[in-house]
Amino acid sequence: MSLPTAVLDKFHAALPRVREWIEDTLERYEPQAVPVSSLGFPRLARHYPLGLLCTTKVVNVPRTPFPPLGRMGLEELAEMERRSFAAITFQDRVFVVPSESTESLHFHELVHVVQWARLGVERFLWAYGLGLLEHGYRESPLERMAYRLEEAFQRGEVSRDLMAEIEEQ
């Protein structure tokens, strides 16, 4: 499916506001953030470098924050604002609803942390946003990868080269 030029233009115009919203959100919640390494999930250290587990931080929230995309001109994605997520990742910060916090969930969100790092903010937002617009949430390419790897983690079948696999795809 090819997106209309008008939608791409709106997406491009909204990106600075989305980036600003993310930066403000990260700053607002920084005092509450704790390293993933402090959560006591031993299997994560088998698959992710210790440095990543120490620099990636988690914030417990009653409801995951989500940018007000409808007000930013992206009405096509406004329904995402109303969804309830167990967790959401912005750069190297994972926002988690405590009752949903599991090792598998954190594994999934760490996939997104690596994606953010590999792509950078601008390219991640483009890839994620366009994936949502073209395929919907669950089938968007970055989510599909995270869910596939999370399922492999649950089965105990994670690739030895997990980081390379994420970065290559």
mmCIF file with all atom_site columns, all heavy atoms in Angstrom, residues 144-169:
data_model
loop_
_atom_site.group_PDB
_atom_site.id
_atom_site.type_symbol
_atom_site.label_atom_id
_atom_site.label_alt_id
_atom_site.label_comp_id
_atom_site.label_asym_id
_atom_site.label_entity_id
_atom_site.label_seq_id
_atom_site.pdbx_PDB_ins_code
_atom_site.Cartn_x
_atom_site.Cartn_y
_atom_site.Cartn_z
_atom_site.occupancy
_atom_site.B_iso_or_equiv
_atom_site.pdbx_formal_charge
_atom_site.auth_seq_id
_atom_site.auth_comp_id
_atom_site.auth_asym_id
_atom_site.auth_atom_id
_atom_site.pdbx_PDB_model_num
ATOM 1   N N   . ARG A 1 144 ? 6.220  -6.168  14.451 1.00 0.00 ? 144 ARG A N   1
ATOM 2   C CA  . ARG A 1 144 ? 6.240  -7.573  14.040 1.00 0.00 ? 144 ARG A CA  1
ATOM 3   C C   . ARG A 1 144 ? 7.569  -8.216  14.444 1.00 0.00 ? 144 ARG A C   1
ATOM 4   O O   . ARG A 1 144 ? 7.604  -9.337  14.958 1.00 0.00 ? 144 ARG A O   1
ATOM 5   C CB  . ARG A 1 144 ? 5.992  -7.678  12.531 1.00 0.00 ? 144 ARG A CB  1
ATOM 6   C CG  . ARG A 1 144 ? 5.658  -9.096  12.096 1.00 0.00 ? 144 ARG A CG  1
ATOM 7   C CD  . ARG A 1 144 ? 5.205  -9.189  10.654 1.00 0.00 ? 144 ARG A CD  1
ATOM 8   N NE  . ARG A 1 144 ? 6.194  -8.638  9.735  1.00 0.00 ? 144 ARG A NE  1
ATOM 9   C CZ  . ARG A 1 144 ? 5.960  -7.649  8.872  1.00 0.00 ? 144 ARG A CZ  1
ATOM 10  N NH1 . ARG A 1 144 ? 4.780  -7.099  8.800  1.00 0.00 ? 144 ARG A NH1 1
ATOM 11  N NH2 . ARG A 1 144 ? 6.914  -7.214  8.086  1.00 0.00 ? 144 ARG A NH2 1
ATOM 12  N N   . MET A 1 145 ? 8.675  -7.499  14.244 1.00 0.00 ? 145 MET A N   1
ATOM 13  C CA  . MET A 1 145 ? 9.975  -8.021  14.643 1.00 0.00 ? 145 MET A CA  1
ATOM 14  C C   . MET A 1 145 ? 10.029 -8.222  16.158 1.00 0.00 ? 145 MET A C   1
ATOM 15  O O   . MET A 1 145 ? 10.465 -9.280  16.638 1.00 0.00 ? 145 MET A O   1
ATOM 16  C CB  . MET A 1 145 ? 11.101 -7.072  14.232 1.00 0.00 ? 145 MET A CB  1
ATOM 17  C CG  . MET A 1 145 ? 12.477 -7.558  14.702 1.00 0.00 ? 145 MET A CG  1
ATOM 18  S SD  . MET A 1 145 ? 13.794 -6.322  14.664 1.00 0.00 ? 145 MET A SD  1
ATOM 19  C CE  . MET A 1 145 ? 13.791 -5.837  12.973 1.00 0.00 ? 145 MET A CE  1
ATOM 20  N N   . ALA A 1 146 ? 9.577  -7.231  16.928 1.00 0.00 ? 146 ALA A N   1
ATOM 21  C CA  . ALA A 1 146 ? 9.637  -7.327  18.391 1.00 0.00 ? 146 ALA A CA  1
ATOM 22  C C   . ALA A 1 146 ? 8.777  -8.480  18.905 1.00 0.00 ? 146 ALA A C   1
ATOM 23  O O   . ALA A 1 146 ? 9.192  -9.218  19.808 1.00 0.00 ? 146 ALA A O   1
ATOM 24  C CB  . ALA A 1 146 ? 9.215  -6.004  19.027 1.00 0.00 ? 146 ALA A CB  1
ATOM 25  N N   . TYR A 1 147 ? 7.592  -8.655  18.332 1.00 0.00 ? 147 TYR A N   1
ATOM 26  C CA  . TYR A 1 147 ? 6.729  -9.767  18.761 1.00 0.00 ? 147 TYR A CA  1
ATOM 27  C C   . TYR A 1 147 ? 7.331  -11.119 18.377 1.00 0.00 ? 147 TYR A C   1
ATOM 28  O O   . TYR A 1 147 ? 7.278  -12.072 19.158 1.00 0.00 ? 147 TYR A O   1
ATOM 29  C CB  . TYR A 1 147 ? 5.312  -9.623  18.196 1.00 0.00 ? 147 TYR A CB  1
ATOM 30  C CG  . TYR A 1 147 ? 4.453  -8.686  18.996 1.00 0.00 ? 147 TYR A CG  1
ATOM 31  C CD1 . TYR A 1 147 ? 4.059  -7.452  18.475 1.00 0.00 ? 147 TYR A CD1 1
ATOM 32  C CD2 . TYR A 1 147 ? 4.032  -9.017  20.286 1.00 0.00 ? 147 TYR A CD2 1
ATOM 33  C CE1 . TYR A 1 147 ? 3.269  -6.583  19.218 1.00 0.00 ? 147 TYR A CE1 1
ATOM 34  C CE2 . TYR A 1 147 ? 3.249  -8.151  21.035 1.00 0.00 ? 147 TYR A CE2 1
ATOM 35  C CZ  . TYR A 1 147 ? 2.871  -6.944  20.497 1.00 0.00 ? 147 TYR A CZ  1
ATOM 36  O OH  . TYR A 1 147 ? 2.095  -6.092  21.247 1.00 0.00 ? 147 TYR A OH  1
ATOM 37  N N   . ARG A 1 148 ? 7.910  -11.205 17.192 1.00 0.00 ? 148 ARG A N   1
ATOM 38  C CA  . ARG A 1 148 ? 8.529  -12.470 16.760 1.00 0.00 ? 148 ARG A CA  1
ATOM 39  C C   . ARG A 1 148 ? 9.680  -12.836 17.695 1.00 0.00 ? 148 ARG A C   1
ATOM 40  O O   . ARG A 1 148 ? 9.798  -13.992 18.140 1.00 0.00 ? 148 ARG A O   1
ATOM 41  C CB  . ARG A 1 148 ? 9.024  -12.345 15.316 1.00 0.00 ? 148 ARG A CB  1
ATOM 42  C CG  . ARG A 1 148 ? 9.689  -13.603 14.784 1.00 0.00 ? 148 ARG A CG  1
ATOM 43  C CD  . ARG A 1 148 ? 10.175 -13.434 13.352 1.00 0.00 ? 148 ARG A CD  1
ATOM 44  N NE  . ARG A 1 148 ? 11.049 -12.293 13.135 1.00 0.00 ? 148 ARG A NE  1
ATOM 45  C CZ  . ARG A 1 148 ? 12.340 -12.248 13.469 1.00 0.00 ? 148 ARG A CZ  1
ATOM 46  N NH1 . ARG A 1 148 ? 12.915 -13.288 14.050 1.00 0.00 ? 148 ARG A NH1 1
ATOM 47  N NH2 . ARG A 1 148 ? 13.061 -11.177 13.217 1.00 0.00 ? 148 ARG A NH2 1
ATOM 48  N N   . LEU A 1 149 ? 10.515 -11.862 18.026 1.00 0.00 ? 149 LEU A N   1
ATOM 49  C CA  . LEU A 1 149 ? 11.644 -12.134 18.915 1.00 0.00 ? 149 LEU A CA  1
ATOM 50  C C   . LEU A 1 149 ? 11.179 -12.418 20.345 1.00 0.00 ? 149 LEU A C   1
ATOM 51  O O   . LEU A 1 149 ? 11.755 -13.270 21.031 1.00 0.00 ? 149 LEU A O   1
ATOM 52  C CB  . LEU A 1 149 ? 12.628 -10.964 18.881 1.00 0.00 ? 149 LEU A CB  1
ATOM 53  C CG  . LEU A 1 149 ? 13.358 -10.801 17.539 1.00 0.00 ? 149 LEU A CG  1
ATOM 54  C CD1 . LEU A 1 149 ? 14.135 -9.496  17.504 1.00 0.00 ? 149 LEU A CD1 1
ATOM 55  C CD2 . LEU A 1 149 ? 14.259 -11.993 17.266 1.00 0.00 ? 149 LEU A CD2 1
ATOM 56  N N   . GLU A 1 150 ? 10.137 -11.734 20.786 1.00 0.00 ? 150 GLU A N   1
ATOM 57  C CA  . GLU A 1 150 ? 9.577  -12.013 22.114 1.00 0.00 ? 150 GLU A CA  1
ATOM 58  C C   . GLU A 1 150 ? 9.061  -13.456 22.181 1.00 0.00 ? 150 GLU A C   1
ATOM 59  O O   . GLU A 1 150 ? 9.274  -14.159 23.184 1.00 0.00 ? 150 GLU A O   1
ATOM 60  C CB  . GLU A 1 150 ? 8.445  -11.043 22.428 1.00 0.00 ? 150 GLU A CB  1
ATOM 61  C CG  . GLU A 1 150 ? 7.779  -11.299 23.776 1.00 0.00 ? 150 GLU A CG  1
ATOM 62  C CD  . GLU A 1 150 ? 6.573  -10.412 24.020 1.00 0.00 ? 150 GLU A CD  1
ATOM 63  O OE1 . GLU A 1 150 ? 6.180  -9.617  23.147 1.00 0.00 ? 150 GLU A OE1 1
ATOM 64  O OE2 . GLU A 1 150 ? 6.001  -10.539 25.123 1.00 0.00 ? 150 GLU A OE2 1
ATOM 65  N N   . GLU A 1 151 ? 8.399  -13.919 21.140 1.00 0.00 ? 151 GLU A N   1
ATOM 66  C CA  . GLU A 1 151 ? 7.909  -15.300 21.112 1.00 0.00 ? 151 GLU A CA  1
ATOM 67  C C   . GLU A 1 151 ? 9.068  -16.284 21.139 1.00 0.00 ? 151 GLU A C   1
ATOM 68  O O   . GLU A 1 151 ? 9.006  -17.315 21.829 1.00 0.00 ? 151 GLU A O   1
ATOM 69  C CB  . GLU A 1 151 ? 7.021  -15.511 19.891 1.00 0.00 ? 151 GLU A CB  1
ATOM 70  C CG  . GLU A 1 151 ? 5.694  -14.777 20.001 1.00 0.00 ? 151 GLU A CG  1
ATOM 71  C CD  . GLU A 1 151 ? 4.954  -14.632 18.673 1.00 0.00 ? 151 GLU A CD  1
ATOM 72  O OE1 . GLU A 1 151 ? 5.400  -15.185 17.650 1.00 0.00 ? 151 GLU A OE1 1
ATOM 73  O OE2 . GLU A 1 151 ? 3.914  -13.931 18.671 1.00 0.00 ? 151 GLU A OE2 1
ATOM 74  N N   . ALA A 1 152 ? 10.155 -15.982 20.425 1.00 0.00 ? 152 ALA A N   1
ATOM 75  C CA  . ALA A 1 152 ? 11.346 -16.837 20.465 1.00 0.00 ? 152 ALA A CA  1
ATOM 76  C C   . ALA A 1 152 ? 11.932 -16.843 21.884 1.00 0.00 ? 152 ALA A C   1
ATOM 77  O O   . ALA A 1 152 ? 12.349 -17.899 22.381 1.00 0.00 ? 152 ALA A O   1
ATOM 78  C CB  . ALA A 1 152 ? 12.383 -16.353 19.451 1.00 0.00 ? 152 ALA A CB  1
ATOM 79  N N   . PHE A 1 153 ? 11.939 -15.700 22.548 1.00 0.00 ? 153 PHE A N   1
ATOM 80  C CA  . PHE A 1 153 ? 12.418 -15.603 23.929 1.00 0.00 ? 153 PHE A CA  1
ATOM 81  C C   . PHE A 1 153 ? 11.583 -16.482 24.849 1.00 0.00 ? 153 PHE A C   1
ATOM 82  O O   . PHE A 1 153 ? 12.108 -17.218 25.688 1.00 0.00 ? 153 PHE A O   1
ATOM 83  C CB  . PHE A 1 153 ? 12.363 -14.136 24.382 1.00 0.00 ? 153 PHE A CB  1
ATOM 84  C CG  . PHE A 1 153 ? 12.744 -13.911 25.813 1.00 0.00 ? 153 PHE A CG  1
ATOM 85  C CD1 . PHE A 1 153 ? 14.074 -13.927 26.217 1.00 0.00 ? 153 PHE A CD1 1
ATOM 86  C CD2 . PHE A 1 153 ? 11.772 -13.654 26.773 1.00 0.00 ? 153 PHE A CD2 1
ATOM 87  C CE1 . PHE A 1 153 ? 14.417 -13.704 27.542 1.00 0.00 ? 153 PHE A CE1 1
ATOM 88  C CE2 . PHE A 1 153 ? 12.106 -13.421 28.092 1.00 0.00 ? 153 PHE A CE2 1
ATOM 89  C CZ  . PHE A 1 153 ? 13.443 -13.456 28.480 1.00 0.00 ? 153 PHE A CZ  1
ATOM 90  N N   . GLN A 1 154 ? 10.272 -16.444 24.683 1.00 0.00 ? 154 GLN A N   1
ATOM 91  C CA  . GLN A 1 154 ? 9.389  -17.249 25.520 1.00 0.00 ? 154 GLN A CA  1
ATOM 92  C C   . GLN A 1 154 ? 9.620  -18.748 25.301 1.00 0.00 ? 154 GLN A C   1
ATOM 93  O O   . GLN A 1 154 ? 9.472  -19.532 26.233 1.00 0.00 ? 154 GLN A O   1
ATOM 94  C CB  . GLN A 1 154 ? 7.930  -16.885 25.241 1.00 0.00 ? 154 GLN A CB  1
ATOM 95  C CG  . GLN A 1 154 ? 7.567  -15.512 25.740 1.00 0.00 ? 154 GLN A CG  1
ATOM 96  C CD  . GLN A 1 154 ? 6.216  -15.028 25.254 1.00 0.00 ? 154 GLN A CD  1
ATOM 97  O OE1 . GLN A 1 154 ? 5.668  -15.521 24.268 1.00 0.00 ? 154 GLN A OE1 1
ATOM 98  N NE2 . GLN A 1 154 ? 5.673  -14.039 25.939 1.00 0.00 ? 154 GLN A NE2 1
ATOM 99  N N   . ARG A 1 155 ? 9.992  -19.123 24.092 1.00 0.00 ? 155 ARG A N   1
ATOM 100 C CA  . ARG A 1 155 ? 10.273 -20.536 23.783 1.00 0.00 ? 155 ARG A CA  1
ATOM 101 C C   . ARG A 1 155 ? 11.710 -20.929 24.124 1.00 0.00 ? 155 ARG A C   1
ATOM 102 O O   . ARG A 1 155 ? 12.069 -22.093 24.017 1.00 0.00 ? 155 ARG A O   1
ATOM 103 C CB  . ARG A 1 155 ? 10.042 -20.813 22.295 1.00 0.00 ? 155 ARG A CB  1
ATOM 104 C CG  . ARG A 1 155 ? 8.616  -20.729 21.828 1.00 0.00 ? 155 ARG A CG  1
ATOM 105 C CD  . ARG A 1 155 ? 8.469  -21.226 20.383 1.00 0.00 ? 155 ARG A CD  1
ATOM 106 N NE  . ARG A 1 155 ? 9.406  -20.623 19.459 1.00 0.00 ? 155 ARG A NE  1
ATOM 107 C CZ  . ARG A 1 155 ? 9.192  -19.511 18.740 1.00 0.00 ? 155 ARG A CZ  1
ATOM 108 N NH1 . ARG A 1 155 ? 8.034  -18.878 18.857 1.00 0.00 ? 155 ARG A NH1 1
ATOM 109 N NH2 . ARG A 1 155 ? 10.108 -19.043 17.930 1.00 0.00 ? 155 ARG A NH2 1
ATOM 110 N N   . GLY A 1 156 ? 12.540 -19.945 24.487 1.00 0.00 ? 156 GLY A N   1
ATOM 111 C CA  . GLY A 1 156 ? 13.951 -20.223 24.768 1.00 0.00 ? 156 GLY A CA  1
ATOM 112 C C   . GLY A 1 156 ? 14.757 -20.443 23.505 1.00 0.00 ? 156 GLY A C   1
ATOM 113 O O   . GLY A 1 156 ? 15.748 -21.161 23.519 1.00 0.00 ? 156 GLY A O   1
ATOM 114 N N   . GLU A 1 157 ? 14.362 -19.791 22.425 1.00 0.00 ? 157 GLU A N   1
ATOM 115 C CA  . GLU A 1 157 ? 15.007 -20.003 21.122 1.00 0.00 ? 157 GLU A CA  1
ATOM 116 C C   . GLU A 1 157 ? 15.551 -18.710 20.523 1.00 0.00 ? 157 GLU A C   1
ATOM 117 O O   . GLU A 1 157 ? 15.464 -18.482 19.319 1.00 0.00 ? 157 GLU A O   1
ATOM 118 C CB  . GLU A 1 157 ? 14.003 -20.623 20.146 1.00 0.00 ? 157 GLU A CB  1
ATOM 119 C CG  . GLU A 1 157 ? 13.480 -21.965 20.590 1.00 0.00 ? 157 GLU A CG  1
ATOM 120 C CD  . GLU A 1 157 ? 12.350 -22.486 19.717 1.00 0.00 ? 157 GLU A CD  1
ATOM 121 O OE1 . GLU A 1 157 ? 11.931 -21.783 18.762 1.00 0.00 ? 157 GLU A OE1 1
ATOM 122 O OE2 . GLU A 1 157 ? 11.884 -23.601 19.986 1.00 0.00 ? 157 GLU A OE2 1
ATOM 123 N N   . VAL A 1 158 ? 16.137 -17.862 21.345 1.00 0.00 ? 158 VAL A N   1
ATOM 124 C CA  . VAL A 1 158 ? 16.670 -16.590 20.858 1.00 0.00 ? 158 VAL A CA  1
ATOM 125 C C   . VAL A 1 158 ? 18.001 -16.831 20.164 1.00 0.00 ? 158 VAL A C   1
ATOM 126 O O   . VAL A 1 158 ? 18.851 -17.585 20.654 1.00 0.00 ? 158 VAL A O   1
ATOM 127 C CB  . VAL A 1 158 ? 16.849 -15.589 22.017 1.00 0.00 ? 158 VAL A CB  1
ATOM 128 C CG1 . VAL A 1 158 ? 17.466 -14.288 21.536 1.00 0.00 ? 158 VAL A CG1 1
ATOM 129 C CG2 . VAL A 1 158 ? 15.512 -15.329 22.693 1.00 0.00 ? 158 VAL A CG2 1
ATOM 130 N N   . SER A 1 159 ? 18.182 -16.179 19.045 1.00 0.00 ? 159 SER A N   1
ATOM 131 C CA  . SER A 1 159 ? 19.433 -16.260 18.286 1.00 0.00 ? 159 SER A CA  1
ATOM 132 C C   . SER A 1 159 ? 20.612 -15.826 19.141 1.00 0.00 ? 159 SER A C   1
ATOM 133 O O   . SER A 1 159 ? 20.499 -14.924 19.967 1.00 0.00 ? 159 SER A O   1
ATOM 134 C CB  . SER A 1 159 ? 19.320 -15.357 17.053 1.00 0.00 ? 159 SER A CB  1
ATOM 135 O OG  . SER A 1 159 ? 20.585 -15.070 16.524 1.00 0.00 ? 159 SER A OG  1
ATOM 136 N N   . ARG A 1 160 ? 21.747 -16.462 18.929 1.00 0.00 ? 160 ARG A N   1
ATOM 137 C CA  . ARG A 1 160 ? 22.967 -16.074 19.645 1.00 0.00 ? 160 ARG A CA  1
ATOM 138 C C   . ARG A 1 160 ? 23.391 -14.669 19.247 1.00 0.00 ? 160 ARG A C   1
ATOM 139 O O   . ARG A 1 160 ? 24.063 -13.985 19.995 1.00 0.00 ? 160 ARG A O   1
ATOM 140 C CB  . ARG A 1 160 ? 24.093 -17.050 19.344 1.00 0.00 ? 160 ARG A CB  1
ATOM 141 C CG  . ARG A 1 160 ? 23.834 -18.449 19.863 1.00 0.00 ? 160 ARG A CG  1
ATOM 142 C CD  . ARG A 1 160 ? 24.989 -19.339 19.484 1.00 0.00 ? 160 ARG A CD  1
ATOM 143 N NE  . ARG A 1 160 ? 26.085 -19.131 20.407 1.00 0.00 ? 160 ARG A NE  1
ATOM 144 C CZ  . ARG A 1 160 ? 26.511 -20.045 21.251 1.00 0.00 ? 160 ARG A CZ  1
ATOM 145 N NH1 . ARG A 1 160 ? 25.946 -21.221 21.266 1.00 0.00 ? 160 ARG A NH1 1
ATOM 146 N NH2 . ARG A 1 160 ? 27.502 -19.796 22.065 1.00 0.00 ? 160 ARG A NH2 1
ATOM 147 N N   . ASP A 1 161 ? 23.030 -14.263 18.052 1.00 0.00 ? 161 ASP A N   1
ATOM 148 C CA  . ASP A 1 161 ? 23.402 -12.945 17.530 1.00 0.00 ? 161 ASP A CA  1
ATOM 149 C C   . ASP A 1 161 ? 22.197 -12.010 17.534 1.00 0.00 ? 161 ASP A C   1
ATOM 150 O O   . ASP A 1 161 ? 21.915 -11.336 16.544 1.00 0.00 ? 161 ASP A O   1
ATOM 151 C CB  . ASP A 1 161 ? 23.964 -13.081 16.110 1.00 0.00 ? 161 ASP A CB  1
ATOM 152 C CG  . ASP A 1 161 ? 25.237 -13.896 16.077 1.00 0.00 ? 161 ASP A CG  1
ATOM 153 O OD1 . ASP A 1 161 ? 26.050 -13.746 17.007 1.00 0.00 ? 161 ASP A OD1 1
ATOM 154 O OD2 . ASP A 1 161 ? 25.401 -14.682 15.130 1.00 0.00 ? 161 ASP A OD2 1
ATOM 155 N N   . LEU A 1 162 ? 21.480 -11.951 18.651 1.00 0.00 ? 162 LEU A N   1
ATOM 156 C CA  . LEU A 1 162 ? 20.260 -11.163 18.743 1.00 0.00 ? 162 LEU A CA  1
ATOM 157 C C   . LEU A 1 162 ? 20.487 -9.702  18.353 1.00 0.00 ? 162 LEU A C   1
ATOM 158 O O   . LEU A 1 162 ? 19.747 -9.144  17.552 1.00 0.00 ? 162 LEU A O   1
ATOM 159 C CB  . LEU A 1 162 ? 19.695 -11.227 20.163 1.00 0.00 ? 162 LEU A CB  1
ATOM 160 C CG  . LEU A 1 162 ? 18.494 -10.302 20.439 1.00 0.00 ? 162 LEU A CG  1
ATOM 161 C CD1 . LEU A 1 162 ? 17.296 -10.740 19.596 1.00 0.00 ? 162 LEU A CD1 1
ATOM 162 C CD2 . LEU A 1 162 ? 18.164 -10.308 21.911 1.00 0.00 ? 162 LEU A CD2 1
ATOM 163 N N   . MET A 1 163 ? 21.516 -9.089  18.918 1.00 0.00 ? 163 MET A N   1
ATOM 164 C CA  . MET A 1 163 ? 21.745 -7.671  18.633 1.00 0.00 ? 163 MET A CA  1
ATOM 165 C C   . MET A 1 163 ? 21.995 -7.448  17.141 1.00 0.00 ? 163 MET A C   1
ATOM 166 O O   . MET A 1 163 ? 21.427 -6.532  16.547 1.00 0.00 ? 163 MET A O   1
ATOM 167 C CB  . MET A 1 163 ? 22.931 -7.150  19.462 1.00 0.00 ? 163 MET A CB  1
ATOM 168 C CG  . MET A 1 163 ? 22.681 -7.173  20.953 1.00 0.00 ? 163 MET A CG  1
ATOM 169 S SD  . MET A 1 163 ? 21.432 -6.026  21.490 1.00 0.00 ? 163 MET A SD  1
ATOM 170 C CE  . MET A 1 163 ? 22.291 -4.492  21.259 1.00 0.00 ? 163 MET A CE  1
ATOM 171 N N   . ALA A 1 164 ? 22.807 -8.295  16.540 1.00 0.00 ? 164 ALA A N   1
ATOM 172 C CA  . ALA A 1 164 ? 23.076 -8.163  15.105 1.00 0.00 ? 164 ALA A CA  1
ATOM 173 C C   . ALA A 1 164 ? 21.796 -8.397  14.297 1.00 0.00 ? 164 ALA A C   1
ATOM 174 O O   . ALA A 1 164 ? 21.549 -7.687  13.316 1.00 0.00 ? 164 ALA A O   1
ATOM 175 C CB  . ALA A 1 164 ? 24.162 -9.151  14.676 1.00 0.00 ? 164 ALA A CB  1
ATOM 176 N N   . GLU A 1 165 ? 20.996 -9.350  14.709 1.00 0.00 ? 165 GLU A N   1
ATOM 177 C CA  . GLU A 1 165 ? 19.753 -9.633  14.013 1.00 0.00 ? 165 GLU A CA  1
ATOM 178 C C   . GLU A 1 165 ? 18.823 -8.416  14.032 1.00 0.00 ? 165 GLU A C   1
ATOM 179 O O   . GLU A 1 165 ? 18.239 -8.048  13.004 1.00 0.00 ? 165 GLU A O   1
ATOM 180 C CB  . GLU A 1 165 ? 19.049 -10.833 14.653 1.00 0.00 ? 165 GLU A CB  1
ATOM 181 C CG  . GLU A 1 165 ? 17.765 -11.231 13.985 1.00 0.00 ? 165 GLU A CG  1
ATOM 182 C CD  . GLU A 1 165 ? 17.084 -12.435 14.615 1.00 0.00 ? 165 GLU A CD  1
ATOM 183 O OE1 . GLU A 1 165 ? 17.719 -13.123 15.443 1.00 0.00 ? 165 GLU A OE1 1
ATOM 184 O OE2 . GLU A 1 165 ? 15.934 -12.685 14.272 1.00 0.00 ? 165 GLU A OE2 1
ATOM 185 N N   . ILE A 1 166 ? 18.685 -7.788  15.191 1.00 0.00 ? 166 ILE A N   1
ATOM 186 C CA  . ILE A 1 166 ? 17.840 -6.603  15.293 1.00 0.00 ? 166 ILE A CA  1
ATOM 187 C C   . ILE A 1 166 ? 18.390 -5.474  14.436 1.00 0.00 ? 166 ILE A C   1
ATOM 188 O O   . ILE A 1 166 ? 17.663 -4.844  13.673 1.00 0.00 ? 166 ILE A O   1
ATOM 189 C CB  . ILE A 1 166 ? 17.697 -6.131  16.758 1.00 0.00 ? 166 ILE A CB  1
ATOM 190 C CG1 . ILE A 1 166 ? 17.027 -7.211  17.614 1.00 0.00 ? 166 ILE A CG1 1
ATOM 191 C CG2 . ILE A 1 166 ? 16.906 -4.829  16.834 1.00 0.00 ? 166 ILE A CG2 1
ATOM 192 C CD1 . ILE A 1 166 ? 17.108 -6.941  19.106 1.00 0.00 ? 166 ILE A CD1 1
ATOM 193 N N   . GLU A 1 167 ? 19.679 -5.237  14.559 1.00 0.00 ? 167 GLU A N   1
ATOM 194 C CA  . GLU A 1 167 ? 20.293 -4.123  13.850 1.00 0.00 ? 167 GLU A CA  1
ATOM 195 C C   . GLU A 1 167 ? 20.256 -4.316  12.333 1.00 0.00 ? 167 GLU A C   1
ATOM 196 O O   . GLU A 1 167 ? 20.090 -3.347  11.601 1.00 0.00 ? 167 GLU A O   1
ATOM 197 C CB  . GLU A 1 167 ? 21.728 -3.902  14.340 1.00 0.00 ? 167 GLU A CB  1
ATOM 198 C CG  . GLU A 1 167 ? 21.745 -3.351  15.760 1.00 0.00 ? 167 GLU A CG  1
ATOM 199 C CD  . GLU A 1 167 ? 23.137 -3.213  16.349 1.00 0.00 ? 167 GLU A CD  1
ATOM 200 O OE1 . GLU A 1 167 ? 24.107 -3.604  15.686 1.00 0.00 ? 167 GLU A OE1 1
ATOM 201 O OE2 . GLU A 1 167 ? 23.232 -2.705  17.472 1.00 0.00 ? 167 GLU A OE2 1
ATOM 202 N N   . GLU A 1 168 ? 20.394 -5.546  11.863 1.00 0.00 ? 168 GLU A N   1
ATOM 203 C CA  . GLU A 1 168 ? 20.373 -5.810  10.416 1.00 0.00 ? 168 GLU A CA  1
ATOM 204 C C   . GLU A 1 168 ? 18.997 -5.627  9.828  1.00 0.00 ? 168 GLU A C   1
ATOM 205 O O   . GLU A 1 168 ? 18.857 -5.193  8.688  1.00 0.00 ? 168 GLU A O   1
ATOM 206 C CB  . GLU A 1 168 ? 20.862 -7.225  10.134 1.00 0.00 ? 168 GLU A CB  1
ATOM 207 C CG  . GLU A 1 168 ? 22.362 -7.387  10.318 1.00 0.00 ? 168 GLU A CG  1
ATOM 208 C CD  . GLU A 1 168 ? 22.795 -8.844  10.227 1.00 0.00 ? 168 GLU A CD  1
ATOM 209 O OE1 . GLU A 1 168 ? 21.996 -9.691  9.786  1.00 0.00 ? 168 GLU A OE1 1
ATOM 210 O OE2 . GLU A 1 168 ? 23.940 -9.112  10.596 1.00 0.00 ? 168 GLU A OE2 1
ATOM 211 N N   . GLN A 1 169 ? 17.976 -5.974  10.591 1.00 0.00 ? 169 GLN A N   1
ATOM 212 C CA  . GLN A 1 169 ? 16.619 -5.909  10.041 1.00 0.00 ? 169 GLN A CA  1
ATOM 213 C C   . GLN A 1 169 ? 16.073 -4.511  10.171 1.00 0.00 ? 169 GLN A C   1
ATOM 214 O O   . GLN A 1 169 ? 15.147 -4.121  9.577  1.00 0.00 ? 169 GLN A O   1
ATOM 215 C CB  . GLN A 1 169 ? 15.713 -6.909  10.735 1.00 0.00 ? 169 GLN A CB  1
ATOM 216 C CG  . GLN A 1 169 ? 16.131 -8.329  10.428 1.00 0.00 ? 169 GLN A CG  1
ATOM 217 C CD  . GLN A 1 169 ? 15.204 -9.337  11.075 1.00 0.00 ? 169 GLN A CD  1
ATOM 218 O OE1 . GLN A 1 169 ? 14.047 -9.065  11.361 1.00 0.00 ? 169 GLN A OE1 1
ATOM 219 N NE2 . GLN A 1 169 ? 15.705 -10.511 11.312 1.00 0.00 ? 169 GLN A NE2 1
#
